[in-house]
Amino acid sequence: MKLSRAAALSSSLLLSAVLALTGAGAAQADSTAQAVDYAALGDSYSSGVGAGSYDSSSGSCKRSTRAYPQLWADAHAPSSFAFTACAGARTDDVTASQLGPVDSGTDLVSITVGGNDAGFADVMTTCVLQSDSACINRINEAKAYVDTTLPGKLDAVYAAISAKAPSARVVVLGYPRFYKLGGSCSLGLSERKRAAINDAADHLNAATAKRAADHGFDFADVVPAFTGHEICSGAPWLHSLKWFDISESYHPTAAGQSGGYLPVFSMFL
C-alpha cells in the first residue's frame, strides 16, 4: 500500500536527514524523493507541439520527447509515467480519453487545458487573415465563453481528476502571452491585435487559476518565465505563424518547454 502524501513527505524528509548524517550520496536521496506515479494530461502545450522530436507512436497527439512532462520524467525517474496529453484536446477529451491511467495510486498530475475550448485556433486564424475589428470581435467572443461556459468545463475535468486520484498533487499550468509589444516585428499582426491577444491570454489564465484554486490545485503561471521570450522579442520561445507546419504556429519551441514550462512546473514539486 502506498503512503499518504503527508506521510510520504515526512518519511522522505527523515530519510534525507539520515542520509546527510551518514554521508550517503545526494543522488540516492533525490531518487527516493521522486518515487511518485505521475500522469501528464492536457492539450498541445503539454504534449509538446512545436518542440519537435515527436514520438511516432503518439500519432496526431504529437507527444514530444522535449515536452516538459517528458523532460521532468527523464530527470526524476518517477515510479510510473503516463503521458496522455494530446494536441487539440479540449476539456471533454481529457475526461473521455486521458484519465485511464489515473487512479488512487497517482501522486502527481499536470495539465494544460482550456485554450481549445475557448477557440484558440479560430481566434488566431481570424486575427491573421482579417481586420483589427474582426480580430477583436472574435477575441471578445472567446472571452465571453471563458466567462460563461469554460468554468463549468474546467470544473468537470478537475472533479474527475480528484475522483480518480484523491491524494494526487495537481499542477494546472497556464498559457504564455504571445507577443512582446513594441518589439522587433516589422511585419505581421498589428500592435492592436497583439495587445488584444495578450489580454485574452491573461483573461484565460485568470479564469483557469480561479477554478484550479477552488479545487485545491496549484496554478503555475508561465507568463513571467516567458517574459522577454515572446514573439517579437530578441529570443522568442514561441513559434510565430509557420506556413509549412501550421500546427506548430503559436506553440512553445523546445526552448520554451525546457526554459519556460519545465522550471515553472518544477517549482511546485
Side-chain angles (χ1 to χ4, degrees), residues 183-207:
S184 60
C185 296
S186 58
L187 300 174
L189 303 186
S190 69
E191 198 77 346
R192 186 182 177 198
K193 288 179 177 178
R194 292 170 186 158
I197 291 167
N198 282 357
D199 181 66
D202 289 344
H203 197 80
L204 175 57
N205 284 333

Side-chain angles (χ1 to χ4, degrees), residues 48-52 64 66-68 71 237 239 251-260:
V49 171
S64 172
R66 299 169 181 164
Y68 77 86
L71 295 175
W237 285 351
H239 294 287
H251 283 83
T253 62
Q257 289 286 339
S258 64

Side-chain angles (χ1 to χ4, degrees), residues 6-7 12 17 22 27 30 37 41 63 65 81 90 96 107 121 146 166 188 194 203 227 238 267 269:
S12 176
T22 59
D30 182 68
D37 295 296
L41 317 176
R63 297 183 193 107
T65 61
F81 174 46
R90 301 187 180 202
D107 302 294
V146 169
R194 292 170 186 158
H203 197 80
T227 298
L238 291 156
M267 285 172 55
L269 308 177

Side-chain angles (χ1 to χ4, degrees), residues 29-84:
D30 182 68
S31 175
T32 302
Q34 298 301 340
V36 300
D37 295 296
Y38 171 35
L41 317 176
D43 58 22
S44 53
Y45 278 66
S46 287
S47 73
V49 171
S53 186
Y54 303 116
D55 178 357
S56 60
S57 68
S58 69
S60 61
C61 286
K62 300 187 81 169
R63 297 183 193 107
S64 172
T65 61
R66 299 169 181 164
Y68 77 86
Q70 186 67 61
L71 295 175
W72 190 89
D74 290 345
H76 298 286
S79 298
S80 67
F81 174 46
F83 192 7
T84 60

